[in-house]
Amino acid sequence: MQEYSIIGSGPAGAAAAYMLSKNGYKVKVYEANKRLAMKPCGLGVPSVKDLPIKIQKQYIVQTINGVTMYVDDVIVLDKENFLEGYILDKENFLESLIIESGSELIKNSGFNPLKNSIKENGNIKEINSAIIAGGFAFYSGEKINAIQTIVSSKSLEGLKKLIIFFDTDIVGYYWIFPAGDEIEVGVGGYRNVEELTKLLNKFIENNEYLRGSKVINPIKGAEIAVGGVNLDFDYKFPKIGEAAGFVLPLTGEGIRPSLISGFEIANAMINGYDIKNHLSKLKITNSIKIQRKILERVKSMDRERRKELLSSMPAEVHAEVALGGMSKLKIIKALASRPDLALKLMNYMGD
């Protein structure tokens, strides 16, 4: 029986372990931390229609059916009952995915990429065959900082949509996500952690949705890979998930792209496909590529031009971009009355 080691138990590592184990491979998943899902994130999967793995009900904290999005203070998208998404119990979902597939999960096991060695039960051993799914720490492209906290808010009880504010000053976004009886509030962008902390506190104090809310968790942060998919692996072993840039750069969404990438690298290995070629042709890879191009263009503009471009997009375009669909046909139809804007977006989307 062929054996594989997977470095990291996040969405990508868990999905790869699930797929490989279900197809007869012996899999060990190594997690550097004592618990899974330690990275603070919004825990949102805004659309599940393209997920290769079904999420069981017991791991769904909250269903999501809509999105409200702002560019600065201008509302550009407000749609309900147009999608099926979830807020996850990420830790238990990932652990169950690994364990129930028959994979072995080994926690508190750090990986040394210089020696290709792993710590297992206090012993150091060399690894000959592995998949790197260790998250942003293994990503060599552009990253931004992101922080978040948890608040309680009576005014937001029963919230079933995502609320996102794109800030043209920091070229980043604030988010308000439901999480059962609590609300996740965060910000990510091109600022250091100290500046983001000040901005987040100000946002919580002044935002109309959050008035009267109470912060109940300390602010925590992490980096987010926004440089796009990089399949030129700089380690001996292939990378997937955020380690390979499977994150939507404009929204920071990473759970869904990482799950897809983990499933598909396993699919390539099982069927003898060329890994890089297979991953490069995925729909999600193309969506990330297009979003990265748009992000690069937006970054190069001054703030007024950013605001004009993003505020002028129809709601249907924002919905398509935010969910990573990036359908040219849908965007062209939505921009039928704005050929100038359609041409710009088509240029960003390329071939």
Side-chain angles (χ1 to χ4, degrees), residues 1 8 12 81 118 138 147 172 202 214 222 250 258 263 288 330 336:
M1 180 184 294
N81 302 315
I118 195 78
F138 291 89
I147 59 173
K202 185 178 180 181
K214 181 181 178 181
L250 286 175
S258 288
F263 183 91
I288 292 169
K330 289 183 180 179

Side-chain angles (χ1 to χ4, degrees), residues 148-157 159 175-186 200-201 203-205 207 209-219:
Q148 80 165 27
T149 187
I150 304 294
V151 306
S152 61
S153 172
K154 289 186 177 181
S155 64
L156 290 175
E157 287 181 359
L159 182 68
W175 64 87
I176 300 173
F177 287 3
D181 296 330
E182 301 170 342
I183 301 294
E184 296 174 336
V185 184
L200 182 57
N201 286 326
F203 179 75
I204 293 171
E205 181 181 351
N207 185 269
Y209 291 102
L210 299 170
R211 285 179 187 152
S213 62
K214 181 181 178 181
V215 176
I216 57 177
N217 266 28
I219 291 175

Side-chain angles (χ1 to χ4, degrees), residues 62-296:
Q62 178 78 54
T63 58
I64 302 165
N65 61 25
V67 178
T68 298
M69 183 180 295
Y70 294 78
V71 173
D72 293 335
D73 294 325
V74 178
I75 190 165
V76 294
L77 172 64
D78 189 17
K79 296 187 71 174
E80 296 183 5
N81 302 315
F82 84 105
L83 56 80
E84 179 186 2
Y86 305 135
I87 299 295
L88 295 183
D89 175 355
K90 186 179 175 184
E91 180 179 5
N92 287 315
F93 167 65
L94 295 178
E95 187 151 356
S96 70
L97 204 61
I98 295 168
I99 299 300
E100 291 176 14
S101 70
S103 298
E104 182 179 356
L105 175 60
I106 305 169
K107 302 176 185 177
N108 201 26
S109 298
F111 173 66
N112 185 335
L114 299 178
K115 297 182 178 181
N116 293 321
S117 63
I118 195 78
K119 182 180 179 182
E120 182 178 345
N121 300 322
N123 299 314
I124 304 298
K125 72 171 190 177
E126 186 176 348
I127 291 178
N128 297 315
S129 182
I131 297 170
I132 306 295
F136 67 87
F138 291 89
Y139 182 66
S140 57
E142 184 175 44
K143 291 175 273 191
I144 61 171
N145 293 306
I147 59 173
Q148 80 165 27
T149 187
I150 304 294
V151 306
S152 61
S153 172
K154 289 186 177 181
S155 64
L156 290 175
E157 287 181 359
L159 182 68
K160 291 189 176 181
K161 64 180 178 179
L162 308 178
I163 305 174
I164 300 170
F165 294 79
F166 190 89
D167 186 326
T168 56
D169 183 30
I170 65 173
V171 193
Y173 38 84
Y174 297 86
W175 64 87
I176 300 173
F177 287 3
D181 296 330
E182 301 170 342
I183 301 294
E184 296 174 336
V185 184
V187 60
Y190 288 89
R191 292 291 187 275
N192 62 40
V193 172
E194 183 180 356
E195 291 174 302
L196 289 178
T197 301
K198 292 178 181 178
L199 289 171
L200 182 57
N201 286 326
K202 185 178 180 181
F203 179 75
I204 293 171
E205 181 181 351
N206 297 327
N207 185 269
E208 62 178 333
Y209 291 102
L210 299 170
R211 285 179 187 152
S213 62
K214 181 181 178 181
V215 176
I216 57 177
N217 266 28
I219 291 175
K220 296 181 180 180
E223 292 180 294
I224 298 177
V226 296
V229 173
N230 179 5
L231 298 176
D232 294 324
F233 306 131
D234 47 5
Y235 296 95
K236 177 182 177 181
F237 308 123
K239 296 189 295 184
I240 51 169
E242 190 168 10
F246 279 92
V247 176
L248 291 170
L250 286 175
T251 60
E253 183 193 348
I255 295 176
R256 178 170 52 123
S258 288
L259 284 170
I260 294 170
S261 74
F263 183 91
E264 290 297 345
I265 195 172
N267 185 28
M269 294 164 65
I270 292 164
N271 291 287
Y273 303 151
D274 179 85
I275 290 174
K276 290 184 181 181
N277 184 58
H278 182 69
L279 294 179
S280 69
K281 292 181 178 180
L282 298 177
K283 181 180 177 181
I284 193 66
T285 304
N286 186 56
S287 296
I288 292 169
K289 179 180 178 181
I290 294 168
Q291 283 208 7
R292 175 62 191 176
K293 286 183 178 181
I294 295 173
L295 177 60
E296 288 175 345

